[in-house]
Amino acid sequence: MTEPHVLLDVQNLSVDFRTEEGLVHAVQNVSFQLERGKTLGIVGESGSGKSVTSLAVMRLIPNPPGKIVGGRILFRRRNGEVVDLVGMDNPSMQSIRGNEIAMIFQEPMTSLNPVFTCGDQVMEAILLHQKVSRQEARERTIELFKQVLLPRPEKIFDAYPHQLSGGQKQRVMIAMAMSCNPSILIADEPTTALDVTVQKTILELMQKLQQENDMSIIFITHDLGVIAEIADDVMVMYRGKAVEKGDIYQIFTDPQHPYSKGLLACRPPLDVRLRRLPTMADFLEELPDGRMKARDVTVQQVIEENVISPEERKAALEKIYRREPLLKVEHVKTYFPIRKGFFSRVVDYVRAVDDVSFDVYPGETLGLVGESGCGKTTLGRTILRLIEPTGGAAYYAGKNVFDIPEKEMRALRRKMQIIFQDPYSSLNPRMTIGNAIMEPMQVHNLYDNDRQRREKVKELLEQVGLKAHHFNRYPHEFSGGQRQRICIARALAVSPEFIICDESVSALDVSVQAQVLNLLNELKEEYNLTYIFISHDLSVVKFMSDRIAVMNRGKIVELGDADEIYYRPKEDYTRHLIDAIPKGRVEDIRAAQQRRAAWRRQMVNPSGRA
């Protein structure tokens, strides 16, 4: 590594894990370089090896079961010395980790200690690596909180992680990572499951800090749309290997590997309406021996084959809206009391849902979109009486759900189902997935006996893309996407008419998300289902929905045709949500490249002289 502008040079890195099933080659002969002041995006699905690569750079691979079995990780220290991190002893590595190379992990709640204040946890990193007093460390921490744009920094210093929102916790993690002005910041899925608006501010913040500190970034994600917002160069990983490398513009305009094409195509497009989203299967064919064979097809060809014409969509909508509404929501309110004092007197209310009205028609998908805390999940659960309403009415097939006795409500719940956001916490870890799907059939006395129910469960498993022999497996044996399919099968088990999908794809890889969204649409057609589709991601909602309701602070601020709301929004809040979507447009990528190049020229030559 002779070039002074190269900070990190990873050469033929290989990492193995020893498991009960045998040896897993998690990373295989991966090589890349990271230049000073640049951002390298590492992109791939869960299990592709991208996070293991970053953990290897930090020397955080748990041994056992994991081990770096080959390669070199050359790092240029602040003093100009080049060291190989692979062979470095633990005390020397500790002087680099968190100090010269820092990392932001995917889930801030599990990275922050719940029993210590946020300020103490950032101070700990400063005191470990810098010779300063506790008072100086405190002042530095508050300054960092201001730098990452946290509101009321002094108050957040004394707050515990559970008292902060997801976006605020992620900012605390960024402040901690920035506490020692690292040369390299590794960000491992730092925006996954965050609102698109919060995601945008986090990306902008990281670029601002990069420019202020002349820092290099490794940004890891499964979403090429996010990578387009921040990266200079991209490495695409698939099954532990780097299958494609190049600058961001080249990857977006002329991807060479079919896996790269698939990742680009899986995100719902914003400029056309599709019948189904492209998936990896459109670009890669799995052979009987497990190897993958590329299909001779372009992203544009797959998209063009699935475009819905305006005439086709108009005819479908006319068919839906000539019928009577299946659900009528009228002036629904859901308030939560705020109690204070020794006697816990009610001093005010959180108006989670505040005078909301709309109709849902048979066969329609109504999208409900808004940021975290806007009230969309509370509204969905209120409609199903999982949360008791404060006021208003919800008429389902002519009956007011809020006035129905509990016994009658249980029978009605056969027709009204919900798919929750987190499939793992929705399933009993001690119950096989077959029994979990069969349980609601038993509760509602469907079919004559358990033998018939088991046959129905196996049929449902096949229908959602799983295998009948999975019946006796447990939830932990499945991936996130597979668990969400299990939850969909469980909702279908009682033959419902109406399903609320509550953030049901928000934490999935974009390729798995595409498969699940396609599945939901296929099942909708087959079973003549009606959906309320709740999400913070307007691009996903636009793909799924016939109409969209935009929610903010407990109220619906805009309601109308999905395409009309996207192309001609009336409210500033809706425009704010649309602007935050990572669009991955070629012209935006080129403009961002030019801005970053100008900034780097300025860093090299601050005076601007030739």
Side-chain angles (χ1 to χ4, degrees):
M1 191 167 78
T2 56
E3 304 91 337
H5 61 278
V6 176
L7 285 185
L8 190 71
D9 187 2
V10 176
Q11 301 175 357
N12 303 313
L13 178 67
S14 294
V15 181
D16 287 354
F17 282 84
R18 196 167 293 281
T19 68
E20 291 177 0
E21 286 78 29
L23 201 63
V24 175
H25 304 298
V27 177
Q28 303 173 53
N29 293 313
V30 167
S31 300
F32 62 89
Q33 289 187 335
L34 179 65
E35 296 180 23
R36 188 184 303 279
K38 281 199 169 186
T39 298
L40 170 71
I42 302 181
V43 67
E45 297 170 290
S46 297
S48 65
K50 58 190 190 298
S51 290
V52 175
T53 300
S54 68
L55 291 172
V57 171
M58 293 291 287
R59 285 279 306 281
L60 290 174
I61 299 290
N63 184 10
K67 188 179 181 182
I68 297 174
V69 295
R72 306 171 78 199
I73 304 172
L74 302 180
F75 171 59
R76 188 181 301 279
R77 301 196 68 173
R78 289 192 183 114
N79 60 11
E81 178 191 5
V82 176
V83 295
D84 184 357
L85 302 182
V86 172
M88 188 168 277
D89 59 50
N90 282 332
S92 300
M93 191 63 216
Q94 283 174 3
S95 70
I96 291 176
R97 189 189 299 127
N99 184 23
E100 296 189 54
I101 306 176
M103 188 165 182
I104 307 166
F105 294 95
Q106 178 174 354
E107 179 42 69
M109 195 63 212
T110 56
S111 305
L112 293 168
N113 192 322
V115 301
F116 290 103
T117 66
C118 296
D120 282 338
Q121 294 184 63
V122 177
M123 268 179 63
E124 182 185 23
I126 295 170
L127 292 168
L128 178 66
H129 292 293
Q130 298 181 23
K131 294 176 181 177
V132 295
S133 66
R134 288 193 66 84
Q135 181 58 32
E136 287 172 321
R138 178 187 170 86
E139 289 169 3
R140 168 76 175 142
T141 300
I142 291 173
E143 187 56 40
L144 282 164
F145 283 173
K146 289 177 183 174
Q147 204 175 358
V148 299
L149 308 178
L150 277 166
R152 305 181 306 280
E154 289 83 1
K155 190 171 182 181
I156 284 182
F157 184 96
D158 296 317
Y160 289 89
H162 73 272
Q163 295 174 299
L164 306 185
S165 69
Q168 288 174 334
K169 283 195 283 277
Q170 199 58 282
R171 287 166 190 264
V172 170
M173 289 297 299
I174 293 171
M176 190 185 297
M178 295 299 301
S179 61
C180 298
N181 294 322
S183 303
I184 296 174
L185 177 65
I186 300 173
D188 185 7
E189 301 267 15
T191 60
T192 298
L194 293 179
D195 291 346
V196 285
T197 49
V198 178
Q199 173 180 274
K200 185 179 181 183
T201 58
I202 294 291
L203 294 176
E204 288 172 349
L205 171 63
M206 289 181 69
Q207 291 180 87
K208 173 177 171 283
L209 294 172
Q210 180 181 31
Q211 293 183 14
E212 289 174 355
N213 297 277
D214 192 19
M215 180 177 65
S216 301
I217 296 176
I218 296 176
F219 193 96
I220 298 166
T221 182
H222 59 257
D223 189 344
L224 268 167
V226 172
I227 284 288
E229 301 280 310
I230 195 169
D232 299 293
D233 302 298
V234 182
M235 178 172 73
V236 181
M237 290 192 71
Y238 178 60
R239 294 189 173 183
K241 295 179 180 177
V243 295
E244 188 161 2
K245 284 183 267 188
D247 77 55
I248 185 72
Y249 187 80
Q250 177 258 306
I251 296 289
F252 265 78
T253 55
D254 188 25
Q256 298 300 304
H257 196 275
Y259 182 70
S260 306
K261 294 177 185 177
L263 283 178
L264 276 170
C266 287
R267 252 194 95 77
L270 294 164
D271 53 346
V272 292
R273 181 165 281 274
L274 300 185
R275 190 169 288 100
R276 59 174 284 277
L277 286 173
T279 65
M280 282 299 169
D282 292 308
F283 303 94
L284 282 168
E285 178 188 359
E286 186 164 3
L287 301 174
D289 61 3
R291 289 184 300 116
M292 305 301 288
K293 178 186 175 185
R295 297 184 191 274
D296 185 20
V297 65
T298 66
V299 173
Q300 196 57 38
Q301 284 172 331
V302 176
I303 288 175
E304 285 173 359
E305 286 171 9
N306 289 288
V307 171
I308 298 174
S309 69
E311 295 76 22
E312 187 182 350
R313 181 165 187 262
K314 184 182 177 184
L317 293 179
E318 285 174 353
K319 185 179 175 184
I320 288 171
Y321 297 125
R322 70 168 65 112
R323 301 169 70 181
E324 286 297 310
L326 178 67
L327 175 72
K328 293 177 75 69
V329 174
E330 296 181 352
H331 306 291
V332 169
K333 300 181 179 73
T334 307
Y335 297 171
F336 298 107
I338 300 170
R339 300 179 185 274
K340 282 188 179 178
F342 184 77
F343 295 104
S344 296
R345 287 184 302 175
V346 176
V347 295
D348 202 352
Y349 291 90
V350 174
R351 291 165 172 76
V353 178
D354 194 11
D355 197 19
V356 166
S357 301
F358 59 85
D359 296 339
V360 185
Y361 292 80
E364 180 184 28
T365 297
L366 176 72
L368 192 57
V369 69
E371 297 170 290
S372 294
C374 71
K376 56 190 186 297
T377 291
T378 302
L379 174 59
R381 295 183 184 204
T382 301
I383 290 168
L384 296 181
R385 284 268 301 277
L386 299 175
I387 296 173
E388 287 299 322
T390 305
Y395 294 95
Y396 183 84
K399 289 186 178 179
N400 186 359
V401 175
F402 298 168
D403 288 343
I404 292 174
E406 186 56 42
K407 188 175 180 182
E408 197 176 336
M409 187 65 213
R410 178 178 287 193
L412 187 60
R413 283 213 174 98
R414 254 198 71 186
K415 298 179 179 179
M416 305 169 74
Q417 286 289 303
I418 185 167
I419 302 166
F420 294 102
Q421 177 174 358
D422 182 359
Y424 196 69
S425 60
S426 307
L427 296 166
N428 187 333
R430 296 184 181 87
M431 186 181 283
T432 66
I433 63 137
N435 285 328
I437 297 169
M438 195 163 71
E439 185 182 39
M441 297 181 191
Q442 294 166 329
V443 168
H444 291 285
N445 294 316
L446 301 182
Y447 306 100
D448 294 333
N449 51 53
D450 278 352
R451 184 182 60 78
Q452 289 182 4
R453 293 180 190 118
R454 272 193 290 272
E455 289 306 310
K456 180 62 179 176
V457 170
K458 289 175 181 177
E459 182 187 317
L460 284 168
L461 285 171
E462 296 279 356
Q463 210 157 14
V464 299
L466 297 171
K467 303 293 183 188
H469 66 258
H470 288 153
F471 186 102
N472 291 314
R473 293 190 184 178
Y474 289 87
H476 73 269
E477 298 179 72
F478 296 90
S479 68
Q482 288 173 321
R483 283 197 290 265
Q484 199 58 281
R485 290 169 184 269
I486 293 162
C487 291
I488 292 169
R490 193 171 195 263
L492 292 172
V494 291
S495 303
E497 300 170 337
F498 169 71
I499 298 177
I500 294 177
C501 305
D502 185 11
E503 298 273 15
S504 50
V505 297
S506 63
L508 300 178
D509 288 343
V510 284
S511 54
V512 178
Q513 175 180 280
Q515 293 170 21
V516 173
L517 293 175
N518 288 341
L519 172 65
L520 286 169
N521 277 336
E522 288 162 14
L523 294 169
K524 178 187 172 185
E525 291 299 316
E526 186 170 344
Y527 289 102
N528 194 27
L529 297 169
T530 303
Y531 291 147
I532 289 181
F533 190 90
I534 299 171
S535 179
H536 61 257
D537 188 339
L538 211 147
S539 62
V540 170
V541 171
K542 179 180 175 291
F543 166 72
M544 288 294 293
S545 306
D546 301 302
R547 288 185 302 150
I548 292 176
V550 181
M551 203 165 175
N552 185 26
R553 296 182 180 179
K555 295 181 180 290
I556 287 180
V557 296
E558 193 159 357
L559 173 64
D561 178 80
D563 289 356
E564 187 69 21
I565 279 187
Y566 177 75
Y567 292 115
R568 287 171 285 279
K570 294 184 175 67
E571 296 293 321
D572 288 341
Y573 179 73
T574 310
R575 282 191 282 273
H576 175 59
L577 287 178
I578 293 167
D579 289 343
I581 302 169
K583 299 176 177 65
R585 291 182 301 218
V586 172
E587 60 270 26
D588 295 341
I589 294 167
R590 177 59 85 198
Q593 275 187 319
Q594 290 169 351
R595 282 196 304 272
R596 287 194 287 267
W599 160 68
R600 278 192 291 275
R601 285 195 298 272
Q602 180 67 19
M603 294 301 295
V604 172
N605 185 15
S607 67
R609 293 185 189 131

